[in-house]
């Protein structure tokens, strides 16, 4: 009986804290960043691409992934690890959710490869570009940009892979870029 009484007393202690209202401050409200800010790249210049890089990938459940824009910029080295004059290639991707359920974008992974040997391009941060995060409501869409160190010598053969969950195959975009 004593053990049962102690166990019940121990379990009831947590309710007292809740009743006192001392649970801590509520989490801050998340304010979604406007798309123009999420995909902004100051000083970037548009690149032209072949059709393979611009053709959207649409899955059977009406979720689609597309390359909405491709730009390049010379890095001015304003942040840690940035190299002055290094050319970065920025891919803006867009998910459109035509399914009837929310689309989770918290596991998006983007890989860029270039050249005849399919060398993996190094991802980099530039101008506080945002990765995908959160969800996209049914019928909605969301864009984000990813920057890579992709030398112009590799522009003739570019492959971009976008994965976002275990249910869908990786979306693959392949083609060439030019100024």
């Amino acid at each position: 009986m004593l053990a049962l009484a102690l166990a019940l007393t121990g379990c009831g202690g947590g309710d007292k804290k809740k009743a006192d209202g001392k649970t801590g401050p509520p989490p801050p409200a998340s304010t979604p960043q406007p798309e123009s800010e999420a995909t902004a790249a100051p000083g970037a210049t548009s690149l032209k691409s072949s059709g393979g890089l611009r053709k959207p990938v649409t899955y059977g459940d009406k979720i689609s992934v597309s390359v909405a824009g491709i730009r390049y910029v010379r890095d001015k080295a304003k942040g840690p690890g940035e190299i002055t004059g290094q050319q970065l290639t920025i891919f803006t991707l867009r998910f459109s959710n035509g399914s009837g359920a929310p689309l989770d974008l918290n596991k998006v992974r983007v890989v860029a490869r270039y050249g005849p040997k399919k060398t993996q391009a190094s991802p980099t941060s530039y101008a506080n570009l945002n990765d995908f995060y959160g969800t996209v409501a049914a019928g909605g869409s969301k864009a984000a940009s990813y920057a890579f160190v992709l030398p112009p010598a590799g522009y003739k053969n570019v492959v971009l892979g976008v994965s976002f969950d275990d249910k869908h195959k990786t979306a693959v975009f392949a083609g060439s870029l030019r100024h």
Side-chain angles (χ1 to χ4, degrees), residues 12 14 19 27 31 48 63 68 76 81 96 98 103 124 139 144 146 175:
T31 53
K48 296 177 183 168
I63 291 173
K76 292 184 170 73
S96 296
L103 173 62
T124 184
Y146 291 78

Side-chain angles (χ1 to χ4, degrees), residues 72-147:
Y72 77 95
V73 67
R74 292 240 178 245
D75 198 349
K76 292 184 170 73
K78 292 183 179 179
E82 293 183 11
I83 299 172
T84 300
Q86 186 173 45
Q87 185 162 320
L88 307 176
T89 304
I90 302 166
F91 295 92
T92 298
L93 304 172
R94 177 177 305 283
F95 275 91
S96 296
N97 185 4
S99 75
L103 173 62
D104 182 2
L105 295 181
N106 290 309
K107 295 181 182 177
V108 173
R109 183 168 182 256
V110 180
V111 176
R113 297 184 182 277
Y114 64 90
K117 294 183 180 180
K118 304 283 187 254
T119 304
Q120 186 166 331
S122 298
T124 184
S125 61
Y126 174 77
N128 295 321
L129 294 175
N130 278 343
D131 294 345
F132 283 106
Y133 62 90
T135 59
V136 177
S141 67
K142 192 172 196 178
S145 294
Y146 291 78

Side-chain angles (χ1 to χ4, degrees), residues 9-25:
T9 305
C11 289
D15 290 339
K16 193 174 194 178
K17 286 182 183 176
K18 287 182 185 175
D20 290 346
K22 295 182 182 177
T23 58

Side-chain angles (χ1 to χ4, degrees), residues 50 53 109 111-122 148-151 153-161 172-177:
S50 64
L53 283 166
R109 183 168 182 256
V111 176
R113 297 184 182 277
Y114 64 90
K117 294 183 180 180
K118 304 283 187 254
T119 304
Q120 186 166 331
S122 298
F148 294 92
V149 178
L150 198 156
Y155 279 7
K156 288 183 183 179
N157 192 352
V158 176
V159 177
L160 192 67
V172 178
F173 304 91
S176 61
L177 301 173

